[in-house]
């Protein structure tokens, strides 16, 4: 054995107890004391190490999406999309790529119930041969705000009151009374879809618009959609109370048990694509994350399937330490100018450097499975073994060269500096159409949830009136109904 060679930490296989430094532990029951009754000696290094390790077990939870469950599997291309993208992992039908997926709720803490009304995260890490591609989506196709500058305030309003630590409707309805573009998202959150049955029975959406680039450099805007093969199912309020009352981790358990039983969850991946030259043809801005793209005009095109066939071995290593980032793309997939996406490109890695440390991408679950090389080095908890003398670029001693150039969007960006809202806001058409597409009982449940929220004693007349005006602009009957139940006159 080469005594200088590092052993991987997976060699956690000694037949007897040891300290972290490998010294044998001959008694793991009693502390080292003076006499039988103590006091305890500070020189009991094993005791100190054990307790110190325990004292530091928790790391900061994610600032949002703290509660989640993950599983592993593969993605398989089923349809040829090579005319749209040069992404290697999408190169041909039959190509498989290993993935890890994390589902989550958004607002509450790491141990909170999985039956709360909340959007669900649907994040997929593809370990491709050209680096990791993270599709960090949700179970709803739209979002609350279209500019990342509003995101921290939005999250603060949805999170518990900083004084009482209780989530309160008056704070939510107050904040969003200033954000009319959020109404579309509320037609998902306060719809029956607001509490998914579990993680297997929900859709996923990339939500933001990305760009596909083919070998010739031709670009298409793209939206991603995951459809579960077992269908979409939700919990109505009373079922949610029953399910959550008996198990606050029911969705994590459902995912784990299904995979353990060989009943592998599966989703089909579809895309909608748009030629950027057509982006002005719509009465909304296609890069506005509060809008869906109508499927009758931009139909869903099948791409592949996602199968989760392996449970994680360790929750901390493969869930808590797992780090997704919308900035992680591969050649053939690029961002768009969607303002919300642009803020997300910065935020995730920034948060993860704080939550997990600067070398979080060396953690096994986050590291690419392909070879990689650069001169970013050192830093806290760097455990990469490097034996080299050239840590600068360029160097005549270093044979590593640039990768082959790959196409990125070549559109010209011009304009003056400004802080502004987009031209085509169109905040109410899609929420109204969505509401009218529902049968009467579903409309009634939605209306009841809105009225319930606005009935919070601290929702002022002004807040209620603003909401009623938004609802009326989406759908007159809806606005009238909510107004009459709140004893308000609709303002329009
Ligand atoms: C500007 C808007 C947004 C910002 C600044 C933001 C920021 C963040 C941050 C800081 C995290 C925690 C990351 C970590 O600690 O690992 C996070 C998690 C997450 N976000 Fe966002 N987010 C935004 C919008 C969105 C949108 C639109 C979606 C859905 C498409 C989304 C989906 C997710 C998901 C799924 C996670 C959890 C990932 C996981 O399972 O680890 N976020 N977000």
């Amino acid at each position: 054995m080469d005594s200088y060679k590092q052993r991987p930490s997976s060699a956690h296989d000694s037949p007897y107890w040891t300290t972290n430094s490998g010294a044998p532990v001959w008694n793991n029951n009693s502390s080292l004391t003076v006499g039988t009754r103590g006091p305890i000696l500070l020189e009991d290094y094993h005791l100190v190490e054990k307790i110190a390790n325990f004292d530091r077990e928790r790391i900061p939870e994610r600032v949002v999406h703290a509660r989640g469950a993950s599983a592993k599997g593969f993605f398989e291309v089923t349809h040829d999309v090579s005319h749209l993208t040069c992404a290697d992992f999408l190169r041909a039908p039959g190509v498989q790529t290993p993935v890890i997926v994390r589902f989550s709720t958004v607002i509450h803490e790491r141990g909170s119930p999985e039956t709360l009304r909340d959007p669900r995260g649907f994040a997929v890490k593809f370990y491709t041969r050209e680096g990791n591609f993270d599709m960090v989506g949700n179970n709803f196709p739209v979002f609350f705000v279209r500019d990342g500058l509003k995101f921290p305030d939005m999250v603060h309003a949805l999170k518990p009151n900083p004084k009482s630590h209780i989530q309160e409707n008056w704070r939510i309805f107050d904040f969003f009374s200033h954000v009319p573009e959020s109404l579309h998202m509320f037609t998902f959150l306060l719809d029956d879809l607001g509490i998914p049955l579990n993680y297997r029975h929900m859709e996923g959406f990339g939500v933001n618009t990305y760009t596909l680039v083919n070998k010739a450099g031709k670009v298409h805007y793209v939206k991603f959609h995951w459809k579960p093969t077992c269908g979409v199912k939700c919990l109505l309020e009373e079922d949610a109370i029953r399910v959550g009352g008996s198990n606050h981790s029911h969705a994590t358990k459902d995912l784990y048990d299904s995979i353990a039983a060989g009943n592998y969850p599966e989703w089909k991946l579809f895309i909608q694509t748009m030629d950027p030259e057509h982006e002005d043809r719509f009465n909304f801005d296609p890069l506005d994350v509060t809008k869906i793209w109508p499927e009758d005009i931009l139909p869903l095109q099948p791409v592949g399937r996602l199968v989760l066939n392996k449970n994680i071995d360790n929750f901390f290593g493969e869930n808590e330490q797992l780090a997704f980032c919308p900035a992680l793309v591969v050649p053939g997939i690029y961002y768009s100018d969607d303002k919300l996406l642009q803020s997300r490109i910065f935020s995730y890695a920034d948060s993860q450097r704080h939550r997990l440390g600067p070398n979080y991408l060396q953690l096994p679950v986050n590291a690419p499975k392909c070879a990689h090389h650069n001169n970013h080095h050192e830093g806290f908890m760097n455990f990469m073994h490097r034996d080299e003398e050239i840590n600068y670029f360029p160097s005549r001693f270093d044979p590593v060269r640039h990768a082959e150039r790959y196409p990125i969007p070549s559109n010209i960006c011009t304009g003056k500096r400004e802080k502004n809202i987009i031209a085509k806001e169109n905040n109410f058409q899609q929420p109204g159409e969505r509401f009218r597409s529902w049968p009467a009982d579903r409309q009634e449940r939605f209306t009841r949830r809105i009225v319930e929220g606005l009935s919070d004693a601290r929702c002022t007349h002004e807040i209620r009136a603003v909401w009623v005006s938004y609802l009326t602009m989406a759908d007159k009957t809806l606005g009238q109904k909510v107004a009459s139940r709140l004893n308000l006159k609709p303002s329009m």
Side-chain angles (χ1 to χ4, degrees):
M1 168 182 153
D2 174 357
S3 56
Y4 291 100
K5 202 163 173 210
Q6 285 187 330
R7 296 187 81 200
S9 61
S10 57
H12 188 245
D13 56 0
S14 143
Y16 49 79
W17 292 111
T18 72
T19 62
N20 278 348
S21 58
V25 168
W26 59 271
N27 183 331
N28 196 19
N29 291 318
S30 303
S31 312
L32 187 67
T33 50
V34 180
T36 309
R37 298 181 60 224
I40 294 175
L41 289 167
L42 186 60
E43 71 189 44
D44 189 350
Y45 178 79
H46 170 57
L47 168 75
V48 172
E49 180 187 84
K50 185 172 176 177
I51 290 185
N53 228 94
F54 172 76
D55 291 345
R56 291 165 177 76
E57 279 178 7
R58 292 290 99 75
I59 59 171
E61 63 175 34
R62 290 167 178 83
V63 60
V64 280
H65 295 261
R67 166 59 127 149
S70 42
K72 295 185 275 194
F74 65 89
F75 174 76
E76 184 181 54
V77 180
T78 52
H79 292 73
D80 184 13
V81 287
S82 57
H83 58 293
L84 292 168
T85 175
C86 58
D88 174 73
F89 81 104
L90 297 173
R91 66 189 174 276
V95 173
Q96 290 193 352
T97 302
V99 299
I100 186 160
V101 176
R102 184 171 181 272
F103 304 107
S104 49
T105 64
V106 179
I107 293 300
H108 295 280
E109 297 89 341
R110 187 150 46 192
S112 53
E114 291 178 310
T115 41
L116 297 178
R117 184 172 297 280
D118 204 10
R120 300 295 189 268
F122 190 129
V124 185
K125 188 181 287 295
F126 299 77
Y127 297 102
T128 88
R129 300 194 303 192
E130 294 179 319
N132 294 347
F133 168 51
D134 286 1
M135 198 190 291
V136 197
N138 278 348
N139 68 328
F140 300 153
V142 293
F143 200 60
F144 293 104
V145 293
R146 58 166 77 97
D147 189 321
L149 190 62
K150 291 188 180 175
F151 184 78
D153 293 297
M154 176 206 107
V155 171
H156 292 173
L158 287 163
K159 287 249 185 204
N161 181 328
K163 189 169 158 118
S164 62
H165 202 66
I166 297 167
Q167 189 186 41
E168 287 164 348
N169 271 329
W170 67 272
R171 303 176 74 247
I172 297 172
F173 281 86
D174 172 27
F175 173 76
F176 286 106
S177 71
H178 300 273
V179 188
E181 69 266 32
S182 65
L183 189 62
H184 199 190
M185 182 70 166
F186 278 99
T187 65
F188 288 88
L189 184 63
L190 299 183
D191 175 26
D192 294 349
L193 290 180
I195 311 176
L197 173 65
N198 50 45
Y199 296 131
R200 282 184 303 132
H201 288 88
M202 60 181 209
E203 292 180 298
F205 300 90
V207 185
N208 291 115
T209 301
Y210 278 81
T211 308
L212 295 180
V213 194
N214 73 9
K215 264 200 191 94
K218 170 75 188 152
V219 298
H220 283 90
Y221 289 148
V222 63
K223 277 192 184 280
F224 297 104
H225 301 245
W226 296 108
K227 304 267 179 215
T229 55
C230 59
V232 175
K233 291 189 185 155
C234 303
L235 292 170
L236 292 183
E237 284 83 344
E238 286 185 2
D239 300 325
I241 291 169
R242 185 178 43 75
V243 171
S246 62
N247 183 0
H248 76 299
S249 299
H250 80 284
T252 299
K253 181 168 161 48
D254 172 81
L255 182 67
Y256 194 91
D257 289 353
S258 302
I259 295 173
N263 178 19
Y264 302 139
E266 184 169 334
W267 286 260
K268 300 242 181 292
L269 177 68
F270 294 86
I271 51 174
Q272 285 179 291
T273 56
M274 182 191 294
D275 188 332
E277 284 174 17
H278 300 166
E279 66 180 340
D280 294 330
R281 292 187 178 177
F282 302 87
N283 64 0
F284 61 91
D285 185 334
L287 302 188
D288 173 0
V289 73
T290 69
K291 301 294 183 294
I292 55 153
W293 291 358
E295 288 176 20
D296 50 342
I297 305 173
L298 302 162
L300 295 180
Q301 306 163 50
V303 178
R305 68 189 189 114
L306 166 72
V307 179
L308 297 180
N309 59 2
K310 190 168 172 358
N311 273 316
I312 53 172
D313 298 321
N314 183 272
F315 186 81
F316 185 79
E318 295 171 292
N319 188 312
E320 284 309 286
Q321 292 193 319
L322 181 52
F324 292 94
C325 177
L328 299 189
V329 291
V330 289
I333 303 178
Y334 202 72
Y335 322 117
S336 73
D337 293 346
D338 172 343
K339 283 196 214 182
L340 196 94
L341 175 60
Q342 297 271 318
S343 308
R344 296 181 75 201
I345 289 168
F346 161 73
S347 177
Y348 289 65
D350 182 52
S351 194
Q352 287 148 2
R353 287 179 191 115
H354 159 70
R355 182 168 79 78
L356 301 165
N359 283 307
Y360 70 101
L361 287 177
Q362 283 182 24
L363 293 167
V365 74
N366 299 325
K369 295 199 188 297
C370 59
H372 56 288
H373 182 91
N374 56 49
N375 290 329
H376 315 337
H377 73 166
E378 305 186 355
F380 285 114
M381 304 309 289
N382 189 322
F383 56 86
M384 190 184 288
H385 181 72
R386 297 178 78 137
D387 177 10
E388 57 207 5
E389 292 181 283
I390 309 302
N391 59 352
Y392 51 86
F393 170 85
S395 163
R396 295 185 204 289
F397 294 98
D398 190 351
V400 180
R401 51 190 163 71
H402 281 135
E404 212 171 290
R405 186 174 172 160
Y406 56 86
I408 56 173
S410 58
N411 55 319
I412 296 165
C413 308
T414 56
K416 64 177 170 48
R417 288 187 178 88
E418 54 187 313
K419 276 183 171 268
N420 229 327
I421 51 171
I422 57 171
K424 289 189 225 168
E425 281 205 87
N426 199 350
N427 292 327
F428 306 109
Q429 183 184 338
Q430 291 192 357
E433 285 167 0
R434 180 169 163 74
F435 176 77
R436 286 186 291 278
S437 74
W438 295 334
D441 57 334
R442 191 165 168 183
Q443 289 188 349
E444 170 54 28
R445 286 190 292 273
F446 174 79
T447 311
R448 187 168 40 75
R449 291 176 195 124
I450 290 261
V451 170
E452 228 169 76
L454 286 169
S455 299
D456 187 311
R458 291 181 73 181
C459 275
T460 59
H461 180 274
E462 188 186 359
I463 293 174
R464 290 176 188 165
V466 172
W467 267 87
V468 166
S469 78
Y470 294 162
L471 294 165
T472 308
M473 284 188 271
D475 184 272
K476 215 167 165 198
T477 333
L478 169 65
Q480 276 167 353
K481 234 182 224 169
V482 172
S484 90
R485 292 192 198 175
L486 292 169
N487 289 325
L488 281 180
K489 274 208 161 104
S491 54
M492 318 193 32

